[in-house]
């Protein structure tokens, strides 16, 4: 036995020596490749489909210039999200997978993992991203004299002496903005739509001044343009230092006339839906925005913030920055929805939804559910009814979660109402409910690191308590009870609207504490989805069809 043990020890030492002789660089690279390949697998590469057959030769030349303008906006966003792109790629070196992942994330921080560094070669993401010096803190910020530092379209930069200076975007990104403006103006010459040409020329002027009110007003009145172009400030959620600075992005879009016509009637129903909120009349005194239309697009090209990490399927425009936007347009991207439905939602459905109910998960119901999320965002309550001021001020740090929860649940309440009115004829109500349930698993995979993630879990746990669905531990699938789902949607809508109207900070905190978490049963299902290598989002193979000049 002793001789056997010595033999085993000698074998172990031999293996250890072989391992030690191997190149450590090669071993680290293999590990990194494996990790990066798994991360890349979270994004399904898709080529966005859109019918370009009706576009004229002038449209083709217009698109070519807009593509180059969007790429200039992309350069601005790299500065805002990280810094110099080429410096980052050179530092990464010869690892093609890591470079590809850095391009998706616009930096070395993983947007699917709470912006944690996806390689040890880089530090944690600065709170102020590229809007501020990386070593700057809030005390440094508030010590800067004057109020210009609070303006949302400015950055803070150190001068040659190390002093902090406030610089407007149009100066900080002068070269890129001039390039974008030049191509927008050149592209405008090929417009066959006078109103769109006027908008593009005004947008070019506005990019040079950081004041977008004139072009926003023109854009909201556009009706006949086949091509659409949005470039400038999109969102202010990437500044984690003072939560003010806006990220730049660009969309090149094609109007989908057929699907826009189908949803146009929903805009006319906004006053009716507001009056039929499931709460007492005292909570329903506010009126929805009158000029709030819905436009369905197919995305042709995204850049900057619009192309980073998790891809947008809809949003309200124009953004507000420091001013109040009286009118808005709800824009939705049909071909992006289709890509996410096919690549993500359908595979998830086949894994976690009861086999007999899988037929109810349909693209049309997914589309309707998504459209009504943005509709719900413009309905409800913005001011408390008991002199506590705005809902935002009353709920403080809980406001964003409660708002997301309201949008999530109220959309299903409205869809239920429209089914009762026989306004939604292409799908059954159970289609909307089961699709909504499947979509919970798609969205909750992004975790509970933001307001939407926490809101997803509150909704999920509330529906579970109300027996709106039941879990079969043997098959690992969920079955929806449409009757109880309807009741749960209505009761949760009442609860959330009352919290908002009453400005009930304590009840909001209690709801978040009680239900805003992922329990073990659901966690196991999320692990199953991950092990099945179902992507979390999509990345675009884009641009080739536009670079035709």
């Amino acid at each position: 036995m002793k001789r056997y043990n010595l033999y085993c020890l000698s074998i172990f030492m031999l293996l250890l020596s072989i391992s030690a002789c191997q190149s450590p660089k090669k071993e680290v690279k293999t590990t990194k490749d494996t990790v990066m390949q798994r991360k890349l697998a979270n994004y399904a590469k898709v080529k966005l489909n859109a019918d370009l057959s009706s576009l004229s030769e002038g449209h083709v030349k217009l698109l070519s210039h807009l593509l180059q303008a969007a790429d200039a906006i992309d350069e601005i966003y790299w500065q805002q999200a990280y810094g110099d792109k080429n410096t980052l790629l050179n530092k990464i070196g010869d690892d093609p997978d890591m470079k590809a992942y850095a391009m998706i994330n616009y930096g070395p921080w993983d947007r699917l993992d709470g912006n944690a560094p996806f390689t040890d070669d880089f530090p944690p993401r600065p709170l102020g991203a590229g809007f501020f010096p990386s070593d700057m803190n809030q005390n440094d910020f508030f010590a800067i004299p004057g109020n210009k530092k609070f303006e949302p379209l400015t950055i803070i930069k150190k001068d040659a002496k190390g002093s902090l200076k406030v610089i407007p975007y149009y100066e900080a990104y002068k070269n890129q903005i001039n390039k974008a403006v030049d191509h927008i103006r050149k592209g405008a010459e090929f417009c066959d739509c006078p109103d769109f040409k006027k908008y593009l020329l005004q947008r070019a002027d506005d990019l040079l001044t950081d004041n977008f009110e004139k072009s926003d007003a023109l854009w909201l009145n556009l009706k006949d343009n086949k091509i659409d172009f949005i470039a400038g400030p999109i969102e202010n959620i990437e500044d984690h230092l003072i939560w003010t600075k806006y990220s730049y992005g660009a969309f090149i879009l094609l109007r989908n006339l057929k699907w826009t016509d189908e949803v146009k009637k929903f805009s006319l129903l906004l006053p009716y839906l507001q009056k039929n909120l499931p709460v007492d009349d005292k909570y329903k005194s506010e009126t929805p925005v009158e000029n709030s239309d819905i436009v369905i697009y197919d995305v042709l090209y995204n850049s900057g913030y619009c192309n980073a990490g998790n891809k947008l399927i809809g949003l309200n425009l124009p953004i507000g920055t420091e001013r109040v936007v009286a009118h808005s347009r709800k824009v939705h991207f049909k071909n992006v929805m289709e890509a996410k439905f096919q690549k993500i939602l359908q595979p998830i459905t086949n894994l976690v939804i009861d086999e007999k109910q899988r037929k109810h998960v349909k693209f049309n119901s997914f589309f309707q559910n998504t459209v009504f999320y943005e509709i719900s965002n413009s309905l409800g309550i913005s001011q408390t009814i008991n002199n506590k001021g705005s809902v935002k001020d009353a709920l403080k740090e809980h406001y964003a979660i409660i708002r997301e929860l309201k949008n999530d649940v109220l959309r299903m309440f409205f869809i239920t109402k429209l089914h009762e009115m026989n306004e939604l004829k292409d799908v059954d109500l159970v289609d909307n409910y089961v699709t909504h349930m499947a979509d919970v698993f798609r969205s909750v995979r992004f975790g509970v690191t933001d307001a939407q993630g926490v809101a997803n879990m509150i909704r999920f746990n509330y529906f579970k308590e109300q027996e709106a669905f039941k879990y079969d531990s043997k098959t690992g699938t969920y079955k929806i009870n449409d009757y109880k789902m309807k009741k749960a949607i209505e009761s949760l809508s009442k609860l959330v609207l009352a919290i908002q109207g009453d400005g009930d900070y304590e009840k909001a905190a209690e709801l978040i504490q009680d239900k805003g978490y992922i329990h073990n049963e659901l966690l196991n299902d999320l692990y199953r989805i991950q092990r099945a290598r179902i992507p979390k989002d999509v990345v675009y193979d884009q641009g080739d069809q536009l670079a035709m000049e």
Side-chain angles (χ1 to χ4, degrees):
M1 178 64 71
K2 183 176 181 181
R3 183 178 299 174
Y4 175 75
N5 287 340
L6 288 173
Y7 173 75
C8 290
L9 180 61
S10 65
I11 293 295
F12 173 77
M13 295 302 292
L14 177 62
L15 292 172
L16 189 63
S17 66
I18 293 173
S19 176
C21 291
Q22 291 177 337
S23 169
K25 184 177 181 181
K26 184 176 181 181
E27 184 178 67
V28 171
K29 188 175 187 303
T30 301
T31 302
K32 284 186 177 180
D33 283 346
T34 302
V35 171
M36 297 317 301
Q37 286 167 2
R38 288 176 181 172
K39 287 184 175 294
L40 284 170
N42 283 321
Y43 289 92
K45 195 169 187 177
V46 297
K47 200 169 188 72
L48 294 175
N49 296 317
D51 183 6
L52 303 179
S53 61
S54 65
L55 299 186
S56 65
E57 183 179 347
H59 283 133
V60 173
K61 293 180 179 180
L62 167 63
L63 287 173
S64 180
H65 282 294
L66 294 184
L67 175 66
Q68 294 174 79
D71 284 344
I73 297 295
D74 197 68
E75 293 174 19
I76 293 174
Y77 180 68
W78 264 105
Q79 294 294 323
Q80 296 175 330
Y82 170 76
D84 185 72
K85 174 176 67 174
N86 292 326
T87 299
L88 170 65
L89 297 179
N90 289 335
K91 187 171 182 179
I92 288 174
D94 297 328
D95 189 332
D97 292 329
M98 190 175 289
K99 282 186 175 180
Y101 206 62
M103 292 296 289
I104 291 172
N105 287 277
Y106 284 75
W109 303 296
D110 193 342
R111 293 168 183 265
L112 296 181
D113 189 24
N115 280 314
F118 53 75
T119 166
D120 293 337
D121 296 330
F122 292 90
R125 178 186 181 275
L127 290 178
F131 302 107
F132 308 94
S134 59
D135 59 350
M136 181 177 169
N137 58 40
Q138 286 189 344
N139 291 333
D140 298 329
F141 173 81
F142 288 112
I144 299 172
N147 292 324
K148 286 188 176 180
K149 61 179 178 285
F150 294 108
E151 293 180 5
L153 304 183
T154 62
I155 65 169
I156 310 297
K157 200 170 185 179
K158 289 182 179 179
D159 63 14
K161 297 180 180 179
S163 300
L164 295 171
K165 300 294 183 183
V166 181
I167 306 174
Y169 282 4
Y170 67 85
E171 289 184 12
Y173 312 119
K174 183 177 181 179
N175 292 338
Q176 295 89 344
I177 286 176
N178 284 341
K179 188 190 303 184
V181 166
D182 182 54
H183 281 292
I184 293 171
R185 287 172 174 168
K186 287 179 178 177
E189 296 306 311
F190 298 99
C191 282
D192 59 1
C193 175
D195 289 341
F196 186 51
K197 180 178 181 178
K198 184 178 180 181
Y199 158 73
L200 284 178
L201 293 174
Q202 185 62 56
R203 196 66 171 181
D205 290 346
D206 290 356
L207 280 165
L208 293 170
T209 64
D210 292 341
N211 186 342
F212 297 92
E213 289 191 43
K214 290 182 179 179
S215 57
D216 282 346
L218 291 173
W219 181 77
L220 285 168
N221 288 316
L222 289 176
K223 301 294 181 184
D224 301 321
N225 52 313
K226 290 182 179 179
I227 304 295
D228 212 337
F229 180 68
I230 297 160
I234 302 295
E235 272 287 5
N236 64 349
I237 62 174
E238 298 203 321
D239 163 20
H240 294 180
L241 188 70
I242 59 169
W243 300 92
T244 300
K245 308 302 181 184
Y246 274 78
S247 299
Y248 265 32
F251 293 107
I252 302 177
L253 306 167
L254 181 69
R255 279 183 182 250
N256 192 311
L257 299 177
K258 175 179 178 294
W259 285 75
T260 297
D261 285 343
E262 289 186 7
V263 301
K264 191 178 294 184
K265 61 184 179 183
F266 298 144
S267 297
L268 304 176
L269 292 171
L270 295 185
Y272 170 83
L273 295 174
Q274 178 76 12
K275 290 179 182 178
N276 282 272
L277 292 173
V279 284
D280 293 339
D281 287 344
K282 61 183 179 181
Y283 294 103
K284 297 187 285 189
S285 60
E286 297 179 32
T287 56
V289 174
E290 292 181 4
N291 183 23
S292 182
D293 61 333
I294 304 169
V295 180
I296 309 302
Y297 292 101
D298 287 321
V299 173
L300 299 180
Y301 193 76
N302 279 3
S303 75
Y305 174 83
C306 309
N307 192 46
N310 184 28
K311 303 301 182 290
L312 297 168
I313 56 179
L315 70 162
N316 275 357
L317 289 171
I319 56 94
T321 61
E322 291 297 298
R323 60 193 172 83
V324 176
V325 178
H327 300 152
S328 68
R329 172 172 290 165
K330 303 174 197 317
V331 301
H332 299 276
F333 310 131
K334 176 179 173 286
N335 57 350
V336 180
M337 291 187 209
E338 286 178 322
K340 293 196 180 194
F341 182 82
Q342 293 167 4
K343 297 289 186 178
I344 304 170
L345 193 59
Q346 283 188 323
I348 288 176
T349 296
N350 294 334
L351 197 64
V352 301
I353 297 299
D354 178 78
E355 187 175 0
K356 293 182 179 179
Q357 289 193 331
R358 290 171 191 170
K359 63 184 179 182
H360 292 294
V361 177
K362 299 176 180 178
F363 174 73
N364 279 7
S365 52
F366 177 60
F367 175 83
Q368 291 170 356
N369 292 353
T370 303
V371 167
F372 270 89
Y373 175 89
E374 294 299 337
I375 289 176
S376 298
N377 193 38
S378 62
L379 297 175
I381 303 168
S382 63
Q383 299 294 318
T384 61
I385 64 170
N386 48 11
N387 299 318
K388 291 185 179 180
S390 70
V391 173
K392 184 175 183 179
D393 289 341
L395 298 185
K396 301 176 183 176
E397 73 271 18
H398 303 318
Y399 167 75
I401 295 173
I402 297 301
R403 182 193 61 193
E404 291 293 339
L405 179 60
K406 184 267 294 184
N407 294 345
D408 270 337
V409 68
L410 211 55
R411 62 171 160 179
M412 300 312 299
F413 175 80
F414 291 146
I415 282 174
T416 303
K417 282 292 180 186
L418 290 178
H419 273 289
E420 292 173 354
M421 297 166 59
N422 202 29
E423 291 287 347
L424 299 176
K425 300 176 182 179
D426 53 341
V427 297
D428 295 328
L429 180 57
V430 68
D431 296 340
N432 292 103
Y433 285 172
V434 178
T435 303
H436 181 57
M437 185 69 193
D439 195 38
V440 169
F441 291 93
R442 182 187 68 86
S443 54
V444 81
R445 294 176 71 199
F446 296 104
V448 290
T449 58
D450 61 8
Q452 191 165 16
V454 177
N456 281 334
M457 288 319 308
I458 295 173
R459 177 180 36 141
F460 181 90
N461 289 323
Y462 185 92
F463 287 171
K464 181 182 179 182
E465 289 178 3
Q466 301 298 312
E467 297 182 342
F469 61 82
K470 285 192 175 182
Y471 180 68
D472 186 336
S473 58
K474 292 182 180 179
T475 61
T477 59
Y478 294 77
K479 185 175 183 179
I480 288 76
N481 182 314
D482 55 325
Y483 173 77
K484 291 185 177 181
M485 177 66 80
K486 179 180 177 181
K487 295 294 184 184
I489 288 169
E490 183 172 348
S491 61
L492 182 56
S493 297
K494 288 181 180 179
L495 173 62
V496 174
L497 290 169
I499 288 174
Q500 288 187 319
D502 296 337
D504 197 330
Y505 177 87
E506 289 75 19
K507 189 165 285 188
E510 180 184 345
L511 185 63
I512 293 167
Q513 178 70 27
D514 187 41
K515 294 183 174 59
Y517 65 94
I518 300 177
H519 58 73
N520 290 336
E521 185 180 273
L522 177 58
L523 200 58
N524 289 333
D525 292 319
L526 296 179
Y527 286 148
R528 285 198 298 126
I529 293 171
Q530 192 67 17
R531 286 195 299 270
R533 303 297 292 269
I534 298 172
K536 289 184 177 179
D537 210 78
V538 297
V539 60
Y540 301 144
D541 179 9
Q542 61 175 7
D544 291 344
Q545 75 273 32
L546 304 187
M548 302 169 69
E549 186 182 49

